[in-house]
Amino acid sequence: MPNMRWFVFMSFVLGTASVAAAPQILDSGNRQVSLLELYTSEGCSSCPPADRWLSKLKSDTRLWREVVPVAFHVDYWDYLGWPDRFASAVFGARQRQYAQHGFIRTVYTPGLILNGKEWRGWFLRPQLRLDPGAEVGQLTLRLDSERTEARFTAKQNLPDRLDMHLAVLGFGLSTQVQDGENQGRTLTHDFVVLAYEQIPMRDSGADYQVQMDLPTTTVDVSRKAIAAWVSLPNNPQPLQAVGGWL
């Protein structure tokens, strides 16, 4: 009997380890999932209402299935006296790329971009309205430990190369602002892009594929998610997006 108990115990341990080690699969489906980008800054006094509005999407039943929200903190307001700890010049450059292509009129915060186009509806109505996505193709992520494999099967003829974008998002973050336009305020954030990578995705003949390491972040956060999207080369507009909790 002791041997039998040991066998049952070890089977349980090994089975549990096997389940824990199973890769996580995220699948967009064929209809386009909306990518919603917020460009924000802790140094901007107009941004906290937009941050709060975006945070409400955590409880939206369409989260990850129909919409993938991301918050890019920009650094171009840091000179006002408060350096945003989540900001990156890369994020401001992405927003300027939208302006250079004519997808937004100018660079500003808070600025929202829905499926690659300027969107100002967030302050007019509390409910995010999404049009049914067109059948653009299936984006699948396979997350295995710190390694990520992405595949995109397109429903249209596209170039031999696409760009794959991968972002790690943080939730439940807060900052006590000591200077600048928000001095004395405690700001809370969700969907914050803590790490971001862009890498070419090559056509394999049947689909587009790429393998990459999951971007690492130094920010200590208890809840994380991942967002991924594909775009044409040198074009920020997303073709398809996928996301989910980590």
Side-chain angles (χ1 to χ4, degrees):
M1 288 302 293
N3 289 338
M4 179 59 69
R5 286 197 295 270
W6 175 253
F7 174 80
V8 171
F9 172 76
M10 289 304 298
S11 298
F12 173 79
V13 170
L14 293 173
T16 302
S18 177
V19 170
Q24 181 180 1
I25 307 295
L26 302 177
D27 187 345
S28 68
N30 282 316
R31 290 196 174 274
Q32 186 181 35
V33 177
S34 295
L35 180 69
L36 179 63
E37 305 172 55
L38 170 64
Y39 290 86
T40 185
S41 170
E42 291 187 339
C44 162
S45 61
S46 301
C47 287
D51 294 332
R52 291 192 294 271
W53 180 87
L54 194 75
S55 289
K56 293 179 181 179
L57 294 178
K58 289 185 300 182
S59 58
D60 195 304
T61 57
R62 299 166 297 175
L63 180 63
W64 312 133
R65 295 186 302 106
E66 297 180 43
V67 61
V68 175
V70 297
F72 286 112
H73 284 237
V74 297
D75 68 347
Y76 51 75
W77 297 128
D78 286 3
Y79 77 93
L80 295 177
W82 181 252
D84 189 330
R85 66 190 176 113
F86 306 119
S88 169
V90 173
F91 305 156
R94 177 175 172 83
Q95 191 183 25
R96 285 190 292 273
Q97 191 180 27
Y98 271 117
Q100 290 162 3
H101 281 80
F103 300 137
I104 62 175
R105 284 174 287 178
T106 187
V107 171
Y108 62 95
T109 57
L112 277 149
I113 298 175
L114 180 61
N115 286 332
K117 296 181 180 179
E118 186 173 29
W119 185 70
R120 295 174 176 265
W122 70 272
F123 58 87
L124 297 176
R125 55 181 179 268
Q127 181 68 28
L128 173 64
R129 296 180 183 176
L130 298 172
D131 295 328
E135 291 204 359
V136 296
Q138 183 180 35
L139 176 60
T140 303
L141 285 187
R142 184 180 187 274
L143 306 173
D144 193 354
S145 184
E146 298 301 315
R147 193 70 175 165
T148 303
E149 179 183 334
R151 292 176 180 267
F152 177 56
T153 305
K155 288 287 189 178
Q156 56 184 311
N157 292 326
L158 295 171
D160 291 340
R161 178 203 135 188
L162 299 177
D163 283 342
M164 174 70 191
H165 306 258
L166 197 63
V168 175
L169 312 180
F171 294 77
L173 297 160
S174 65
T175 303
Q176 293 182 341
V177 180
Q178 305 298 324
D179 207 340
E181 290 188 353
N182 288 313
Q183 183 177 11
R185 304 177 71 175
T186 298
L187 304 181
T188 58
H189 310 291
D190 294 298
F191 299 102
V192 178
V193 178
L194 300 178
Y196 170 77
E197 293 280 350
Q198 178 179 333
I199 188 171
M201 195 177 201
R202 301 295 180 182
D203 187 356
S204 68
D207 52 23
Y208 295 84
Q209 299 181 18
V210 69
Q211 291 186 2
M212 58 194 299
D213 292 331
L214 192 67
T216 58
T217 174
T218 59
V219 177
D220 186 20
V221 59
S222 59
R223 194 178 198 188
K224 293 189 295 186
I226 191 167
W229 61 97
V230 291
S231 67
L232 294 172
N234 304 312
N235 186 331
Q237 282 193 314
L239 297 171
Q240 181 61 294
V242 70
W245 300 108
L246 289 176

mmCIF file of all heavy atoms in Angstrom, residues 42-63:
data_model
loop_
_atom_site.group_PDB
_atom_site.id
_atom_site.type_symbol
_atom_site.label_atom_id
_atom_site.label_comp_id
_atom_site.label_asym_id
_atom_site.label_seq_id
_atom_site.Cartn_x
_atom_site.Cartn_y
_atom_site.Cartn_z
ATOM 1 N N GLU A 42 1.487 60.536 -18.012
ATOM 2 C CA GLU A 42 1.261 60.993 -16.636
ATOM 3 C C GLU A 42 1.558 62.481 -16.491
ATOM 4 O O GLU A 42 1.185 63.083 -15.489
ATOM 5 C CB GLU A 42 2.141 60.194 -15.674
ATOM 6 C CG GLU A 42 1.718 58.745 -15.535
ATOM 7 C CD GLU A 42 2.500 58.006 -14.461
ATOM 8 O OE1 GLU A 42 3.612 58.451 -14.101
ATOM 9 O OE2 GLU A 42 1.985 56.973 -13.975
ATOM 10 N N GLY A 43 2.200 63.090 -17.472
ATOM 11 C CA GLY A 43 2.468 64.517 -17.428
ATOM 12 C C GLY A 43 1.402 65.368 -18.081
ATOM 13 O O GLY A 43 1.560 66.583 -18.177
ATOM 14 N N CYS A 44 0.312 64.747 -18.498
ATOM 15 C CA CYS A 44 -0.776 65.443 -19.216
ATOM 16 C C CYS A 44 -2.016 65.480 -18.322
ATOM 17 O O CYS A 44 -2.554 64.441 -17.952
ATOM 18 C CB CYS A 44 -1.065 64.713 -20.521
ATOM 19 S SG CYS A 44 -2.646 65.095 -21.286
ATOM 20 N N SER A 45 -2.496 66.671 -18.007
ATOM 21 C CA SER A 45 -3.639 66.810 -17.101
ATOM 22 C C SER A 45 -4.950 66.357 -17.731
ATOM 23 O O SER A 45 -5.926 66.100 -17.022
ATOM 24 C CB SER A 45 -3.767 68.264 -16.637
ATOM 25 O OG SER A 45 -3.988 69.128 -17.748
ATOM 26 N N SER A 46 -5.003 66.239 -19.063
ATOM 27 C CA SER A 46 -6.215 65.794 -19.741
ATOM 28 C C SER A 46 -6.303 64.276 -19.861
ATOM 29 O O SER A 46 -7.339 63.754 -20.283
ATOM 30 C CB SER A 46 -6.280 66.406 -21.149
ATOM 31 O OG SER A 46 -6.267 67.811 -21.095
ATOM 32 N N CYS A 47 -5.235 63.567 -19.492
ATOM 33 C CA CYS A 47 -5.181 62.123 -19.728
ATOM 34 C C CYS A 47 -5.889 61.253 -18.702
ATOM 35 O O CYS A 47 -6.405 60.180 -19.072
ATOM 36 C CB CYS A 47 -3.721 61.686 -19.855
ATOM 37 S SG CYS A 47 -2.949 62.204 -21.413
ATOM 38 N N PRO A 48 -5.930 61.595 -17.412
ATOM 39 C CA PRO A 48 -6.556 60.677 -16.446
ATOM 40 C C PRO A 48 -7.979 60.242 -16.796
ATOM 41 O O PRO A 48 -8.303 59.058 -16.602
ATOM 42 C CB PRO A 48 -6.496 61.465 -15.131
ATOM 43 C CG PRO A 48 -5.247 62.284 -15.276
ATOM 44 C CD PRO A 48 -5.235 62.710 -16.716
ATOM 45 N N PRO A 49 -8.866 61.138 -17.309
ATOM 46 C CA PRO A 49 -10.199 60.633 -17.677
ATOM 47 C C PRO A 49 -10.150 59.565 -18.763
ATOM 48 O O PRO A 49 -10.919 58.597 -18.720
ATOM 49 C CB PRO A 49 -10.922 61.898 -18.174
ATOM 50 C CG PRO A 49 -10.227 63.029 -17.493
ATOM 51 C CD PRO A 49 -8.789 62.610 -17.429
ATOM 52 N N ALA A 50 -9.252 59.714 -19.732
ATOM 53 C CA ALA A 50 -9.125 58.702 -20.783
ATOM 54 C C ALA A 50 -8.564 57.398 -20.223
ATOM 55 O O ALA A 50 -8.988 56.306 -20.626
ATOM 56 C CB ALA A 50 -8.230 59.227 -21.908
ATOM 57 N N ASP A 51 -7.614 57.503 -19.284
ATOM 58 C CA ASP A 51 -7.077 56.299 -18.630
ATOM 59 C C ASP A 51 -8.184 55.545 -17.902
ATOM 60 O O ASP A 51 -8.262 54.313 -17.968
ATOM 61 C CB ASP A 51 -5.972 56.676 -17.644
ATOM 62 C CG ASP A 51 -4.744 57.247 -18.323
ATOM 63 O OD1 ASP A 51 -4.490 56.906 -19.486
ATOM 64 O OD2 ASP A 51 -4.022 58.033 -17.674
ATOM 65 N N ARG A 52 -9.041 56.298 -17.190
ATOM 66 C CA ARG A 52 -10.134 55.657 -16.453
ATOM 67 C C ARG A 52 -11.128 55.008 -17.406
ATOM 68 O O ARG A 52 -11.650 53.921 -17.132
ATOM 69 C CB ARG A 52 -10.831 56.680 -15.548
ATOM 70 C CG ARG A 52 -9.983 57.149 -14.375
ATOM 71 C CD ARG A 52 -10.813 57.915 -13.370
ATOM 72 N NE ARG A 52 -11.330 59.182 -13.910
ATOM 73 C CZ ARG A 52 -10.690 60.332 -13.843
ATOM 74 N NH1 ARG A 52 -9.497 60.407 -13.260
ATOM 75 N NH2 ARG A 52 -11.220 61.438 -14.327
ATOM 76 N N TRP A 53 -11.410 55.672 -18.512
ATOM 77 C CA TRP A 53 -12.334 55.117 -19.503
ATOM 78 C C TRP A 53 -11.788 53.805 -20.058
ATOM 79 O O TRP A 53 -12.518 52.818 -20.182
ATOM 80 C CB TRP A 53 -12.547 56.124 -20.635
ATOM 81 C CG TRP A 53 -13.490 55.640 -21.694
ATOM 82 C CD1 TRP A 53 -14.844 55.751 -21.707
ATOM 83 C CD2 TRP A 53 -13.131 54.925 -22.888
ATOM 84 N NE1 TRP A 53 -15.363 55.152 -22.838
ATOM 85 C CE2 TRP A 53 -14.333 54.643 -23.575
ATOM 86 C CE3 TRP A 53 -11.927 54.510 -23.433
ATOM 87 C CZ2 TRP A 53 -14.351 53.967 -24.791
ATOM 88 C CZ3 TRP A 53 -11.935 53.826 -24.639
ATOM 89 C CH2 TRP A 53 -13.126 53.561 -25.312
ATOM 90 N N LEU A 54 -10.497 53.780 -20.381
ATOM 91 C CA LEU A 54 -9.898 52.564 -20.920
ATOM 92 C C LEU A 54 -9.941 51.438 -19.887
ATOM 93 O O LEU A 54 -10.182 50.276 -20.235
ATOM 94 C CB LEU A 54 -8.464 52.830 -21.353
ATOM 95 C CG LEU A 54 -7.821 51.746 -22.229
ATOM 96 C CD1 LEU A 54 -8.376 51.813 -23.647
ATOM 97 C CD2 LEU A 54 -6.299 51.890 -22.260
ATOM 98 N N SER A 55 -9.721 51.755 -18.620
ATOM 99 C CA SER A 55 -9.713 50.737 -17.569
ATOM 100 C C SER A 55 -11.043 49.998 -17.467
ATOM 101 O O SER A 55 -11.075 48.822 -17.075
ATOM 102 C CB SER A 55 -9.366 51.375 -16.215
ATOM 103 O OG SER A 55 -8.013 51.767 -16.171
ATOM 104 N N LYS A 56 -12.138 50.660 -17.817
ATOM 105 C CA LYS A 56 -13.449 50.021 -17.740
ATOM 106 C C LYS A 56 -13.573 48.840 -18.693
ATOM 107 O O LYS A 56 -14.433 47.965 -18.498
ATOM 108 C CB LYS A 56 -14.541 51.042 -18.023
ATOM 109 C CG LYS A 56 -14.673 52.125 -16.953
ATOM 110 C CD LYS A 56 -15.757 53.133 -17.312
ATOM 111 C CE LYS A 56 -15.862 54.217 -16.254
ATOM 112 N NZ LYS A 56 -16.894 55.238 -16.595
ATOM 113 N N LEU A 57 -12.726 48.795 -19.712
ATOM 114 C CA LEU A 57 -12.806 47.691 -20.666
ATOM 115 C C LEU A 57 -12.364 46.365 -20.054
ATOM 116 O O LEU A 57 -12.575 45.310 -20.654
ATOM 117 C CB LEU A 57 -11.969 48.008 -21.903
ATOM 118 C CG LEU A 57 -12.467 49.182 -22.750
ATOM 119 C CD1 LEU A 57 -11.534 49.426 -23.927
ATOM 120 C CD2 LEU A 57 -13.895 48.939 -23.241
ATOM 121 N N LYS A 58 -11.751 46.386 -18.867
ATOM 122 C CA LYS A 58 -11.394 45.136 -18.188
ATOM 123 C C LYS A 58 -12.620 44.263 -17.954
ATOM 124 O O LYS A 58 -12.507 43.027 -17.951
ATOM 125 C CB LYS A 58 -10.717 45.433 -16.843
ATOM 126 C CG LYS A 58 -9.332 45.994 -16.917
ATOM 127 C CD LYS A 58 -8.714 46.124 -15.536
ATOM 128 C CE LYS A 58 -9.539 47.042 -14.657
ATOM 129 N NZ LYS A 58 -8.934 47.233 -13.310
ATOM 130 N N SER A 59 -13.768 44.869 -17.733
ATOM 131 C CA SER A 59 -14.986 44.110 -17.450
ATOM 132 C C SER A 59 -15.907 44.007 -18.662
ATOM 133 O O SER A 59 -17.033 43.515 -18.543
ATOM 134 C CB SER A 59 -15.750 44.758 -16.283
ATOM 135 O OG SER A 59 -16.085 46.109 -16.584
ATOM 136 N N ASP A 60 -15.445 44.456 -19.820
ATOM 137 C CA ASP A 60 -16.249 44.374 -21.040
ATOM 138 C C ASP A 60 -16.242 42.930 -21.542
ATOM 139 O O ASP A 60 -15.185 42.304 -21.653
ATOM 140 C CB ASP A 60 -15.676 45.307 -22.107
ATOM 141 C CG ASP A 60 -16.647 45.556 -23.255
ATOM 142 O OD1 ASP A 60 -17.098 44.567 -23.874
ATOM 143 O OD2 ASP A 60 -16.941 46.739 -23.545
ATOM 144 N N THR A 61 -17.404 42.393 -21.835
ATOM 145 C CA THR A 61 -17.503 41.001 -22.274
ATOM 146 C C THR A 61 -16.826 40.765 -23.625
ATOM 147 O O THR A 61 -16.551 39.617 -23.992
ATOM 148 C CB THR A 61 -18.975 40.572 -22.371
ATOM 149 O OG1 THR A 61 -19.667 41.449 -23.260
ATOM 150 C CG2 THR A 61 -19.636 40.622 -20.997
ATOM 151 N N ARG A 62 -16.534 41.831 -24.353
ATOM 152 C CA ARG A 62 -15.901 41.685 -25.675
ATOM 153 C C ARG A 62 -14.374 41.706 -25.597
ATOM 154 O O ARG A 62 -13.707 41.559 -26.628
ATOM 155 C CB ARG A 62 -16.380 42.806 -26.598
ATOM 156 C CG ARG A 62 -17.887 42.814 -26.839
ATOM 157 C CD ARG A 62 -18.330 44.120 -27.475
ATOM 158 N NE ARG A 62 -18.072 45.251 -26.588
ATOM 159 C CZ ARG A 62 -18.271 46.532 -26.945
ATOM 160 N NH1 ARG A 62 -18.708 46.813 -28.161
ATOM 161 N NH2 ARG A 62 -18.030 47.505 -26.091
ATOM 162 N N LEU A 63 -13.843 41.908 -24.385
ATOM 163 C CA LEU A 63 -12.395 41.998 -24.221
ATOM 164 C C LEU A 63 -11.709 40.748 -24.748
ATOM 165 O O LEU A 63 -12.117 39.631 -24.444
ATOM 166 C CB LEU A 63 -12.059 42.199 -22.737
ATOM 167 C CG LEU A 63 -10.562 42.311 -22.398
ATOM 168 C CD1 LEU A 63 -9.939 43.529 -23.064
ATOM 169 C CD2 LEU A 63 -10.352 42.350 -20.898
#
